[in-house]
Structure formats: structure tokens, C-alpha cells
Amino acid sequence: MSALKLLLITPNNPFNIFRAPQVFKIAGQLSKYMQVKSRAAFPGLNLAILAAITPEHVETQIIDESVEPVDFETDADLVGITAMTNMAPAAYKMADIFRQRGKKVVLGGVHVTVCPDEAQAHADAVVVGEAEPVWKGLIADFERGELKPRYRSERLFDMKSYGIPRRDLLKGERYLFPSTLETGRGCPFDCDFCSVSRTAGRAYRFRPTEEVLADADSLTNKWVFFVDDIINGHRQHALELFRALKGRGLRWAGQATVMIARDQELLDAAVDAGCRALFIGFETFSSPNLKKLGKPDNWQERFFQACESLHKKKIAIWGGFVFGLDTDTVEVLQKTVRLACEAKLEFAQFSRLTPLPGTAQWNQFQMESRITETDWSKFNFQHVVYKPNLMSADELNRCVREAWFEFYSTRRVVQRLGQNRPPISRGNLMLWALNIGISRIARHIARESNVRTKEMPHSVFETLHSSGVSEQRHKS
């Protein structure tokens, strides 16, 4: 009897796509860690982890559509497809094609977990929740010809003993930063617009530190992105982890809460372990939203203090901001961009509020009949899929678009990174190259959306320019 052949697929993820503009060739000469000819930013670990716990006799292949096409002529016996909400239509279409060709298909992922009945129509089996606890049983059922229509674990994955993810099955050379690492899951915060606490649990679960170290030591590219939702969520664990990572030659980035900037011992340990950049969800400066999002009343002051503390440690900051909360106005969003620039954030992203299914935000907007879109592919933070409260959808789209253009304008890049002085260090040159590249990508997206910047209405941000120096309008 021939070995079972398994094909695992991640559909194309627009958030992960990376196309290097010409200017990135400069960055490629500045960092030996960056693969600027890549097609995507980071490889996901979910399928590589599943492959690691798949029985050894199973012949396994992974395809990430962000970096390579899906092979519909595969001779695989079983096809597993994972999807977030915006990827669900593509996942369903793939599943339908494979089933038409006689393949058995399993669907899983965050969207399938919150919409299992919808997914069931496109699959022979669906996995609700984390796949790791049920995966070996699912494979055994398939080999016996007893595949069940639905698998749901009675518990969350304990994060222990899954070994080294099968990165050998990934096209590592096709990612900007090929090394990703996981140390824990879960998030105790319960933001209305976030699905993490509802799908990964509100209690932290940690991978044993010795397993993390073994995984880190196996990496050939030592610039690592930690995929944990919050790397500093559990202080004692983070401190133990950082101290254990010290001296291993890593340079890393991760997602953290702003509290890491107020904890000097933890911050020093992170820097000693190789921390060079952090993504922090600052979300908003709208006063009515602060308490709801767990922010203190003096959030603006805390924001600047945190940025100063991190910059003193030479940690680059990627700030995340959500536009379109119910108390947001055009003026509030203008202020958000101005503060992000004044804090000299190295990077920022400005996302449209997106009520993902399964979240409290989705439930609220459903009850209020405010969901305006049924196409899941548009739930990608680049479309307004609901009725905003204090502005129109057009105004919200315009604010987001202008936020990207303003933050990554040449004038702002000079102010944020160079303080009107030419960059002289290799690190600063790389930051400049990345900022200019992001600016070009933002303009490309605008052109694809039939929004040519030279045809745009008068900039809402010009009211913020108090210097009296006129800025050149955005060019296509």
C-alpha cells in the first residue's frame, strides 16, 4: 500500500504579499537578513506545525499561495486548507475544485472556527478550533475511510512537544524575513474588534522554553519574527524567555503591549535578547474609546513616554491604529496621524475597523443592522464593510488613504527618521528604504483602487500643517 499523500494549503493572503520596489535593492545591501527579491513578508507557522505532528509515514507538502501557485493536478489523497475571513472565498473555491477532481478536502482556520456550517458545504470535513489536538485522529480516520464531517477539540492545544515546525516544506527563500517563531498563544484582552481571545482563548499557554531554544537554534536566518499575539503578555514568562535567548545571536521583532516600555527590567532583558523592533497596537486617541479599549485617561501622555523609552533602547516601533470606531470623527483621525508623526514612529499602519465574524463588534453591528457587505474577501481592513457612526464610508476611506500618504510622505519621513539631517548609519538607511518602499506600495494600492492621488480632493491633513511651509501634493 502506497503512503498517504497530504497537501496543506494557505490561500493567497493580501496582508502578506511583498513586492520589492526598486528602492528596496538599496535595503538589500544594508542587511544580510532581508531577502528583498521575495514575494511575501513572513511564512506562517500553522501548517508547518501541523506537518511536524503528522505521522512520519505520511508524505506531506505545503503550498503558500502567496509565494507559489496551487497545484490542482496534485496526486495528493487528502487536501487541507486553512483560511482567515478575507481568504475564505478563495479557500472555498479551491476546495470545490479539488472535490470536483475526486480529492477529499479538510477546511480549518479562524474563519472556519466561527462559521463552521458555512464551510461544511465546501468540505468533506471541517476542523473547529485548533487543529493540533485532533490532527492525528483525523489522519487515522481518513486512512480507515472513516473521515468525520466535523472535528472539534475538547481542549486547547497545550503547546508542548510538537518539535521543530517543518520549515523544510516552506519556500524560505521567497520571504522577506523567513524565520518565524512561536512561544505562546492566547490573549487576556477582549477587544471588541479582535477575534484572538475568542479563537485562541483568554488564558496564556506557553511552549516550554527549552523547546523554544531548540527551535531558535535550528534557524539559519537569525532575524526572527515572534508570531505570539503578545510577547510580553505574561511578564514572568517573557522575562525567563528573554534571559534564555540572550547570547544566541538573534535579532528579533514581535508584538507587544505598551506596558513593556514601562518595565525597565523586562525591556532591558528584551534588548539583551536581541529585540530590535516591536509592533504595538496603539489603536486610538479618541477619549470615549479609551476605557473600552483598556487605555488610561492620560493615554496620549503615556503614548509619548512609551515611544521615548523604546527609542532610547534603539527599538523601532511599528504602531497600529484603528480608524472607524464609533466615536471617531475626521478631526480625531487627523490628530491620530499627527501624533504618530510627532512621536517619530518608524512605521505605522492605519486600518479600517473590520467587524470580523465571531467578535463582539460583529455581534453589535449585526444587531444594529450596520453590516453592509456580504463578500468575505472585502473583510480585509481595506474596505469599509459597515455603516460608520459619525462619518460616511467615503470620509473614512479618505481618512485612511490620506493617513498612509501623510505618514509616509517625504516630508514626514525626513521629520521622523532624519530630523532634517541625512541618515548616516546602516540602520537608518534601511529604515529610510523601507519607508520609501511602503510609500510606493500605498500609492500602488491607491492606483489599483482607481484612486489617483493627483485627482484626489483637497488633503484633509493640510489643516494640520502649522509651519506655513506648503507641501507638494501627492504624485501618482
Side-chain angles (χ1 to χ4, degrees), residues 289-409:
N289 285 318
L290 295 179
K291 186 174 182 181
K292 191 174 183 180
L293 294 176
K295 312 294 187 186
D297 291 336
N298 63 338
W299 176 231
Q300 183 174 319
E301 179 185 349
R302 291 275 190 94
F303 164 70
F304 280 102
Q305 290 173 348
C307 293
E308 183 179 1
S309 295
L310 294 173
H311 283 151
K312 282 182 177 179
K313 295 295 181 179
K314 312 241 182 260
I315 294 176
I317 306 169
W318 189 303
F321 300 94
V322 178
F323 280 20
L325 298 167
D326 271 357
T327 59
D328 279 349
T329 63
V330 170
E331 292 73 25
V332 165
L333 302 185
Q334 292 173 348
K335 176 183 177 182
T336 296
V337 182
R338 174 171 57 81
L339 295 178
C341 292
E342 289 179 2
K344 294 183 171 56
L345 300 184
E346 283 76 10
F347 305 99
Q349 70 180 45
F350 307 96
S351 302
R352 295 160 180 82
L353 176 67
T354 300
L356 297 172
T359 64
Q361 196 78 77
W362 168 269
N363 295 335
Q364 175 193 335
F365 287 177
Q366 279 280 75
M367 290 178 58
E368 297 170 352
S369 300
R370 293 171 60 188
I371 303 294
T372 59
E373 184 57 67
T374 58
D375 180 356
W376 292 130
S377 68
K378 293 184 177 178
F379 283 67
N380 60 359
F381 307 93
Q382 296 179 20
H383 295 81
V384 180
V385 297
Y386 69 103
K387 294 178 182 177
N389 190 36
L390 298 179
M391 63 180 73
S392 69
D394 286 344
E395 286 176 316
L396 177 53
N397 274 324
R398 184 182 174 203
C399 283
V400 174
R401 189 168 60 242
E402 287 281 2
W404 284 90
F405 291 152
E406 173 72 3
F407 187 85
Y408 290 102
S409 68

Side-chain angles (χ1 to χ4, degrees), residues 242-256:
F242 297 159
R243 288 173 173 170
L245 289 172
K246 181 178 179 180
R248 279 183 149 76
L250 298 185
R251 297 292 181 269
W252 60 267
Q255 303 176 90

Side-chain angles (χ1 to χ4, degrees), residues 19-127:
R19 297 291 185 272
Q22 188 75 11
V23 70
F24 271 81
K25 292 184 177 180
I26 301 173
Q29 304 302 315
L30 301 173
S31 173
K32 63 182 179 180
Y33 303 109
M34 293 175 58
Q35 301 179 158
V36 298
K37 294 181 180 180
S38 57
R39 296 175 57 85
F42 303 100
L45 277 180
N46 53 343
L47 298 185
I49 291 171
L50 279 190
I53 64 176
T54 298
E56 290 184 3
H57 70 275
V58 177
E59 188 177 317
T60 305
Q61 178 186 4
I62 295 177
I63 291 180
D64 178 354
E65 198 188 16
S66 295
V67 300
E68 61 181 317
V70 172
D71 178 15
F72 289 103
E73 303 298 327
T74 179
D75 61 351
D77 305 294
L78 179 64
V79 178
I81 306 174
T82 184
M84 297 185 294
T85 293
N86 68 297
M87 298 151 62
Y92 294 160
K93 184 175 181 179
M94 283 182 196
D96 293 342
I97 293 173
F98 279 120
R99 295 180 80 198
Q100 289 168 6
R101 300 187 178 197
K103 306 297 181 183
K104 294 293 185 182
V105 175
V106 179
L107 283 171
V110 174
H111 186 78
V112 173
T113 292
V114 297
C115 298
D117 295 335
E118 173 189 282
Q120 194 83 62
H122 302 274
D124 298 284
V126 298
V127 176

Side-chain angles (χ1 to χ4, degrees), residues 208-224:
T209 299
E210 60 271 18
E211 294 183 25
V212 174
L213 298 180
D215 200 352
D217 290 343
S218 75
L219 300 173
T220 55
N221 188 311
K222 296 299 184 179
W223 217 113
V224 176

Side-chain angles (χ1 to χ4, degrees), residues 401 405 443 446-447 451-457 473-476:
R401 189 168 60 242
F405 291 152
R443 294 171 194 280
R447 286 195 295 271
V451 182
R452 291 191 173 273
T453 56
K454 66 181 179 183
E455 300 170 356
M456 287 173 57
R473 297 298 299 149
H474 304 299
K475 299 179 181 178
S476 308

